[in-house]
Amino acid sequence: MDTTRNTVLEAWMNEHGHSSNSLADTVNMALERLTGRAGGLDGSSVRDWKAGRVKWPKSATRRALEDVTGLPATALGFEPRGRTPSTPAPPQEVTDTMKRRTLVGGIAAAAAAAAAPGAASPRRIGMSDVDRLQKRFAEIIASDHRHGGQLGIEQRAAALADEALNLQNAGSATQRVRSNLYAAAAAFRSSAMWAAIDGRRYDDAKAHMREAQALAEMSGDQAIKFRIWSHTGTMYRHMGRPADALAANDVARNLHIARRDPMFASLGMARQAAIRGAAQDRTGTRRAFDQAQDAMLRADPHAYRPLWMLAFYDQAELDSLALSAYLSLGAYQTAEFHAHRCLAALRPHMVRSRAIATTRLAHAQLAQGDADAATATAMKVPVDAATQHARVSRMLQEFGAALRATAPGSRTVQTWTEHAAAWRTTA
């Protein structure tokens, strides 16, 4: 049996930072989106591909691999059964020349087609269009972590969701591409939903939620379904509706992806704990956080996960949710402990999260009677978050009211009042 190594696939994996295990996990997720059933690949499956022991994977696996890479299987070094071995690859200089000729020829052909009346053919929508949208999604995620809750972020995300949907009618596409376009639209709409939640615009958030849920169902993407239902649980928690919050979060936690990947299970349990805290369920809060921590420790740090998950969920976020829960329960020492852990571990790009955790820490310190330390902490919140982020602004207003009630007429109150006034002037 000819077992010539698949060096093309190996080169693609090296370029994109994939190990055999991580590529297997990624293709398994794509298989689940395509078929509704989890894939059964592991690292040895990919090693068989690289070693040339499997020259032409099964049809569903090929489709999933093409979905992941954006390339046809033949361009990844695989050969259909019965095909004679391909000729050796031309030297790089020849390849580059051919690419330039193809590019120039393609531009000339496109120009000629545009010039010829009635000669235009329908546009072909492909994975390159999806990749472009994914880059815009990364920009939305970055803006959210820097600013959070802004109406402009919500509007940009909603417009990009519409752009993804418009592509469905802009030309022909494979079912795989259409599923990815629906997933992209759902992702943008879920970001619009989150910006509205963060900005306390709950009616708008609910409208985005309904559209995001429908788009996610059409995409079949488990990860984006999880994100939307998990956001829904958070929305109801902020609205003071813990029963609805638990029900929504349970939908996320019961998805197959949360059973397959402990990191998704951890996020689901961490948000469950925050809801339990808001509902004044001490035992349920502690149990859920223990389960969330255990699941995080079991999670494979190298497994493929979507951008939005990688960008925010880690130990710092787990401690941030614990801070919120224990603050709601009135367990102020425990809340302060988690606040310090969160702030020590937060990554630099988590600007919005740092402002929220800092404000909550100030509340926990004040509730323990340390007005001076609490005020010094609250004064560390950046001016833009203090004045432009709806959640942070409201928490700081509540902090000021609690400080005045705790230490009326004190120098500390005067210091805070002057600082808050300077914030408003600067803004």
Side-chain angles (χ1 to χ4, degrees), residues 87-112:
T87 55
Q92 184 63 41
E93 307 85 47
V94 176
T95 302
D96 291 342
T97 302
M98 290 172 63
K99 286 180 179 177
R100 286 193 292 272
R101 288 175 181 168
T102 302
L103 177 61
V104 172
I107 293 171

PDB file of all heavy atoms in Angstrom, residues 87-112:
ATOM      1  N   THR A  87       1.040  14.512 -10.156  1.00  0.00           N
ATOM      2  CA  THR A  87       2.421  14.818 -10.536  1.00  0.00           C
ATOM      3  C   THR A  87       3.047  15.681  -9.469  1.00  0.00           C
ATOM      4  O   THR A  87       2.352  16.359  -8.714  1.00  0.00           O
ATOM      5  CB  THR A  87       2.437  15.583 -11.877  1.00  0.00           C
ATOM      6  OG1 THR A  87       1.608  16.734 -11.744  1.00  0.00           O
ATOM      7  CG2 THR A  87       1.912  14.701 -12.992  1.00  0.00           C
ATOM      8  N   PRO A  88       4.376  15.673  -9.383  1.00  0.00           N
ATOM      9  CA  PRO A  88       5.035  16.476  -8.357  1.00  0.00           C
ATOM     10  C   PRO A  88       4.666  17.951  -8.500  1.00  0.00           C
ATOM     11  O   PRO A  88       4.430  18.455  -9.587  1.00  0.00           O
ATOM     12  CB  PRO A  88       6.528  16.251  -8.638  1.00  0.00           C
ATOM     13  CG  PRO A  88       6.587  14.950  -9.396  1.00  0.00           C
ATOM     14  CD  PRO A  88       5.334  14.900 -10.199  1.00  0.00           C
ATOM     15  N   ALA A  89       4.647  18.626  -7.358  1.00  0.00           N
ATOM     16  CA  ALA A  89       4.314  20.050  -7.363  1.00  0.00           C
ATOM     17  C   ALA A  89       5.389  20.835  -8.095  1.00  0.00           C
ATOM     18  O   ALA A  89       6.587  20.521  -7.991  1.00  0.00           O
ATOM     19  CB  ALA A  89       4.204  20.551  -5.930  1.00  0.00           C
ATOM     20  N   PRO A  90       5.005  21.856  -8.887  1.00  0.00           N
ATOM     21  CA  PRO A  90       6.004  22.656  -9.590  1.00  0.00           C
ATOM     22  C   PRO A  90       6.812  23.481  -8.613  1.00  0.00           C
ATOM     23  O   PRO A  90       6.393  23.718  -7.496  1.00  0.00           O
ATOM     24  CB  PRO A  90       5.147  23.557 -10.492  1.00  0.00           C
ATOM     25  CG  PRO A  90       3.829  23.643  -9.801  1.00  0.00           C
ATOM     26  CD  PRO A  90       3.640  22.316  -9.140  1.00  0.00           C
ATOM     27  N   PRO A  91       7.986  23.923  -9.030  1.00  0.00           N
ATOM     28  CA  PRO A  91       8.797  24.779  -8.161  1.00  0.00           C
ATOM     29  C   PRO A  91       8.012  26.016  -7.748  1.00  0.00           C
ATOM     30  O   PRO A  91       7.103  26.466  -8.450  1.00  0.00           O
ATOM     31  CB  PRO A  91      10.009  25.146  -9.042  1.00  0.00           C
ATOM     32  CG  PRO A  91      10.047  24.078 -10.100  1.00  0.00           C
ATOM     33  CD  PRO A  91       8.640  23.662 -10.328  1.00  0.00           C
ATOM     34  N   GLN A  92       8.406  26.599  -6.606  1.00  0.00           N
ATOM     35  CA  GLN A  92       7.682  27.751  -6.062  1.00  0.00           C
ATOM     36  C   GLN A  92       7.642  28.917  -7.043  1.00  0.00           C
ATOM     37  O   GLN A  92       6.648  29.598  -7.164  1.00  0.00           O
ATOM     38  CB  GLN A  92       8.342  28.196  -4.743  1.00  0.00           C
ATOM     39  CG  GLN A  92       7.602  29.323  -4.034  1.00  0.00           C
ATOM     40  CD  GLN A  92       6.213  28.925  -3.615  1.00  0.00           C
ATOM     41  OE1 GLN A  92       6.002  27.817  -3.151  1.00  0.00           O
ATOM     42  NE2 GLN A  92       5.239  29.786  -3.804  1.00  0.00           N
ATOM     43  N   GLU A  93       8.786  29.118  -7.790  1.00  0.00           N
ATOM     44  CA  GLU A  93       8.797  30.261  -8.702  1.00  0.00           C
ATOM     45  C   GLU A  93       7.743  30.093  -9.788  1.00  0.00           C
ATOM     46  O   GLU A  93       7.059  31.033 -10.183  1.00  0.00           O
ATOM     47  CB  GLU A  93      10.173  30.413  -9.361  1.00  0.00           C
ATOM     48  CG  GLU A  93      11.339  30.479  -8.390  1.00  0.00           C
ATOM     49  CD  GLU A  93      11.817  29.090  -8.000  1.00  0.00           C
ATOM     50  OE1 GLU A  93      12.008  28.228  -8.875  1.00  0.00           O
ATOM     51  OE2 GLU A  93      11.975  28.865  -6.798  1.00  0.00           O
ATOM     52  N   VAL A  94       7.607  28.832 -10.286  1.00  0.00           N
ATOM     53  CA  VAL A  94       6.612  28.575 -11.326  1.00  0.00           C
ATOM     54  C   VAL A  94       5.219  28.762 -10.769  1.00  0.00           C
ATOM     55  O   VAL A  94       4.330  29.348 -11.391  1.00  0.00           O
ATOM     56  CB  VAL A  94       6.793  27.141 -11.887  1.00  0.00           C
ATOM     57  CG1 VAL A  94       5.703  26.835 -12.896  1.00  0.00           C
ATOM     58  CG2 VAL A  94       8.173  26.998 -12.528  1.00  0.00           C
ATOM     59  N   THR A  95       5.017  28.241  -9.538  1.00  0.00           N
ATOM     60  CA  THR A  95       3.698  28.369  -8.909  1.00  0.00           C
ATOM     61  C   THR A  95       3.312  29.833  -8.770  1.00  0.00           C
ATOM     62  O   THR A  95       2.184  30.237  -9.058  1.00  0.00           O
ATOM     63  CB  THR A  95       3.706  27.701  -7.526  1.00  0.00           C
ATOM     64  OG1 THR A  95       4.078  26.338  -7.687  1.00  0.00           O
ATOM     65  CG2 THR A  95       2.348  27.786  -6.869  1.00  0.00           C
ATOM     66  N   ASP A  96       4.244  30.668  -8.271  1.00  0.00           N
ATOM     67  CA  ASP A  96       3.945  32.088  -8.090  1.00  0.00           C
ATOM     68  C   ASP A  96       3.619  32.748  -9.420  1.00  0.00           C
ATOM     69  O   ASP A  96       2.719  33.589  -9.524  1.00  0.00           O
ATOM     70  CB  ASP A  96       5.142  32.795  -7.445  1.00  0.00           C
ATOM     71  CG  ASP A  96       5.331  32.352  -6.000  1.00  0.00           C
ATOM     72  OD1 ASP A  96       4.366  31.793  -5.438  1.00  0.00           O
ATOM     73  OD2 ASP A  96       6.436  32.556  -5.459  1.00  0.00           O
ATOM     74  N   THR A  97       4.366  32.369 -10.495  1.00  0.00           N
ATOM     75  CA  THR A  97       4.100  32.933 -11.812  1.00  0.00           C
ATOM     76  C   THR A  97       2.707  32.562 -12.285  1.00  0.00           C
ATOM     77  O   THR A  97       1.965  33.394 -12.815  1.00  0.00           O
ATOM     78  CB  THR A  97       5.154  32.438 -12.825  1.00  0.00           C
ATOM     79  OG1 THR A  97       6.448  32.815 -12.361  1.00  0.00           O
ATOM     80  CG2 THR A  97       4.907  33.032 -14.193  1.00  0.00           C
ATOM     81  N   MET A  98       2.363  31.271 -12.087  1.00  0.00           N
ATOM     82  CA  MET A  98       1.033  30.818 -12.505  1.00  0.00           C
ATOM     83  C   MET A  98      -0.056  31.564 -11.737  1.00  0.00           C
ATOM     84  O   MET A  98      -1.087  31.940 -12.295  1.00  0.00           O
ATOM     85  CB  MET A  98       0.912  29.315 -12.265  1.00  0.00           C
ATOM     86  CG  MET A  98       1.769  28.478 -13.221  1.00  0.00           C
ATOM     87  SD  MET A  98       1.776  26.737 -12.751  1.00  0.00           S
ATOM     88  CE  MET A  98       0.046  26.342 -12.965  1.00  0.00           C
ATOM     89  N   LYS A  99       0.194  31.788 -10.428  1.00  0.00           N
ATOM     90  CA  LYS A  99      -0.794  32.527  -9.635  1.00  0.00           C
ATOM     91  C   LYS A  99      -0.995  33.930 -10.180  1.00  0.00           C
ATOM     92  O   LYS A  99      -2.112  34.436 -10.271  1.00  0.00           O
ATOM     93  CB  LYS A  99      -0.357  32.588  -8.163  1.00  0.00           C
ATOM     94  CG  LYS A  99      -0.519  31.271  -7.424  1.00  0.00           C
ATOM     95  CD  LYS A  99      -0.067  31.416  -5.986  1.00  0.00           C
ATOM     96  CE  LYS A  99      -0.242  30.113  -5.216  1.00  0.00           C
ATOM     97  NZ  LYS A  99       0.266  30.222  -3.834  1.00  0.00           N
ATOM     98  N   ARG A 100       0.133  34.586 -10.535  1.00  0.00           N
ATOM     99  CA  ARG A 100       0.018  35.951 -11.056  1.00  0.00           C
ATOM    100  C   ARG A 100      -0.737  35.958 -12.385  1.00  0.00           C
ATOM    101  O   ARG A 100      -1.578  36.816 -12.635  1.00  0.00           O
ATOM    102  CB  ARG A 100       1.411  36.564 -11.226  1.00  0.00           C
ATOM    103  CG  ARG A 100       2.074  36.970  -9.925  1.00  0.00           C
ATOM    104  CD  ARG A 100       3.286  37.846 -10.174  1.00  0.00           C
ATOM    105  NE  ARG A 100       4.361  37.123 -10.819  1.00  0.00           N
ATOM    106  CZ  ARG A 100       5.288  36.437 -10.176  1.00  0.00           C
ATOM    107  NH1 ARG A 100       5.277  36.369  -8.861  1.00  0.00           N
ATOM    108  NH2 ARG A 100       6.251  35.811 -10.836  1.00  0.00           N
ATOM    109  N   ARG A 101      -0.427  34.966 -13.234  1.00  0.00           N
ATOM    110  CA  ARG A 101      -1.127  34.885 -14.519  1.00  0.00           C
ATOM    111  C   ARG A 101      -2.616  34.648 -14.307  1.00  0.00           C
ATOM    112  O   ARG A 101      -3.465  35.236 -14.982  1.00  0.00           O
ATOM    113  CB  ARG A 101      -0.529  33.759 -15.362  1.00  0.00           C
ATOM    114  CG  ARG A 101       0.846  34.058 -15.925  1.00  0.00           C
ATOM    115  CD  ARG A 101       1.394  32.840 -16.646  1.00  0.00           C
ATOM    116  NE  ARG A 101       2.730  33.090 -17.180  1.00  0.00           N
ATOM    117  CZ  ARG A 101       3.516  32.140 -17.646  1.00  0.00           C
ATOM    118  NH1 ARG A 101       3.117  30.874 -17.609  1.00  0.00           N
ATOM    119  NH2 ARG A 101       4.706  32.435 -18.126  1.00  0.00           N
ATOM    120  N   THR A 102      -2.920  33.754 -13.366  1.00  0.00           N
ATOM    121  CA  THR A 102      -4.332  33.461 -13.091  1.00  0.00           C
ATOM    122  C   THR A 102      -5.051  34.693 -12.583  1.00  0.00           C
ATOM    123  O   THR A 102      -6.180  34.995 -12.969  1.00  0.00           O
ATOM    124  CB  THR A 102      -4.430  32.332 -12.048  1.00  0.00           C
ATOM    125  OG1 THR A 102      -3.753  31.191 -12.547  1.00  0.00           O
ATOM    126  CG2 THR A 102      -5.875  31.993 -11.751  1.00  0.00           C
ATOM    127  N   LEU A 103      -4.378  35.448 -11.689  1.00  0.00           N
ATOM    128  CA  LEU A 103      -4.983  36.652 -11.140  1.00  0.00           C
ATOM    129  C   LEU A 103      -5.238  37.679 -12.232  1.00  0.00           C
ATOM    130  O   LEU A 103      -6.333  38.231 -12.361  1.00  0.00           O
ATOM    131  CB  LEU A 103      -4.071  37.238 -10.057  1.00  0.00           C
ATOM    132  CG  LEU A 103      -4.520  38.550  -9.430  1.00  0.00           C
ATOM    133  CD1 LEU A 103      -5.869  38.358  -8.736  1.00  0.00           C
ATOM    134  CD2 LEU A 103      -3.480  39.062  -8.441  1.00  0.00           C
ATOM    135  N   VAL A 104      -4.198  37.929 -13.058  1.00  0.00           N
ATOM    136  CA  VAL A 104      -4.343  38.915 -14.136  1.00  0.00           C
ATOM    137  C   VAL A 104      -5.427  38.471 -15.112  1.00  0.00           C
ATOM    138  O   VAL A 104      -6.282  39.250 -15.546  1.00  0.00           O
ATOM    139  CB  VAL A 104      -2.993  39.121 -14.855  1.00  0.00           C
ATOM    140  CG1 VAL A 104      -3.175  39.996 -16.086  1.00  0.00           C
ATOM    141  CG2 VAL A 104      -1.984  39.749 -13.910  1.00  0.00           C
ATOM    142  N   GLY A 105      -5.373  37.161 -15.470  1.00  0.00           N
ATOM    143  CA  GLY A 105      -6.385  36.654 -16.393  1.00  0.00           C
ATOM    144  C   GLY A 105      -7.780  36.754 -15.828  1.00  0.00           C
ATOM    145  O   GLY A 105      -8.732  37.076 -16.539  1.00  0.00           O
ATOM    146  N   GLY A 106      -7.902  36.494 -14.517  1.00  0.00           N
ATOM    147  CA  GLY A 106      -9.220  36.578 -13.879  1.00  0.00           C
ATOM    148  C   GLY A 106      -9.754  37.997 -13.886  1.00  0.00           C
ATOM    149  O   GLY A 106     -10.941  38.236 -14.125  1.00  0.00           O
ATOM    150  N   ILE A 107      -8.870  38.965 -13.620  1.00  0.00           N
ATOM    151  CA  ILE A 107      -9.293  40.368 -13.637  1.00  0.00           C
ATOM    152  C   ILE A 107      -9.737  40.771 -15.039  1.00  0.00           C
ATOM    153  O   ILE A 107     -10.763  41.431 -15.239  1.00  0.00           O
ATOM    154  CB  ILE A 107      -8.149  41.274 -13.149  1.00  0.00           C
ATOM    155  CG1 ILE A 107      -7.873  40.996 -11.665  1.00  0.00           C
ATOM    156  CG2 ILE A 107      -8.470  42.738 -13.379  1.00  0.00           C
ATOM    157  CD1 ILE A 107      -6.633  41.688 -11.147  1.00  0.00           C
ATOM    158  N   ALA A 108      -8.953  40.349 -16.047  1.00  0.00           N
ATOM    159  CA  ALA A 108      -9.305  40.681 -17.424  1.00  0.00           C
ATOM    160  C   ALA A 108     -10.634  40.050 -17.816  1.00  0.00           C
ATOM    161  O   ALA A 108     -11.476  40.688 -18.469  1.00  0.00           O
ATOM    162  CB  ALA A 108      -8.199  40.198 -18.365  1.00  0.00           C
ATOM    163  N   ALA A 109     -10.837  38.799 -17.424  1.00  0.00           N
ATOM    164  CA  ALA A 109     -12.089  38.117 -17.758  1.00  0.00           C
ATOM    165  C   ALA A 109     -13.267  38.799 -17.087  1.00  0.00           C
ATOM    166  O   ALA A 109     -14.341  38.959 -17.675  1.00  0.00           O
ATOM    167  CB  ALA A 109     -12.013  36.653 -17.331  1.00  0.00           C
ATOM    168  N   ALA A 110     -13.068  39.226 -15.814  1.00  0.00           N
ATOM    169  CA  ALA A 110     -14.155  39.896 -15.102  1.00  0.00           C
ATOM    170  C   ALA A 110     -14.494  41.229 -15.763  1.00  0.00           C
ATOM    171  O   ALA A 110     -15.665  41.603 -15.902  1.00  0.00           O
ATOM    172  CB  ALA A 110     -13.760  40.123 -13.647  1.00  0.00           C
ATOM    173  N   ALA A 111     -13.437  41.944 -16.194  1.00  0.00           N
ATOM    174  CA  ALA A 111     -13.666  43.225 -16.860  1.00  0.00           C
ATOM    175  C   ALA A 111     -14.412  43.028 -18.172  1.00  0.00           C
ATOM    176  O   ALA A 111     -15.329  43.787 -18.517  1.00  0.00           O
ATOM    177  CB  ALA A 111     -12.329  43.928 -17.117  1.00  0.00           C
ATOM    178  N   ALA A 112     -14.024  41.973 -18.924  1.00  0.00           N
ATOM    179  CA  ALA A 112     -14.701  41.704 -20.195  1.00  0.00           C
ATOM    180  C   ALA A 112     -16.155  41.327 -19.975  1.00  0.00           C
ATOM    181  O   ALA A 112     -17.043  41.752 -20.702  1.00  0.00           O
ATOM    182  CB  ALA A 112     -13.975  40.571 -20.921  1.00  0.00           C
TER     183      ALA A 112
END
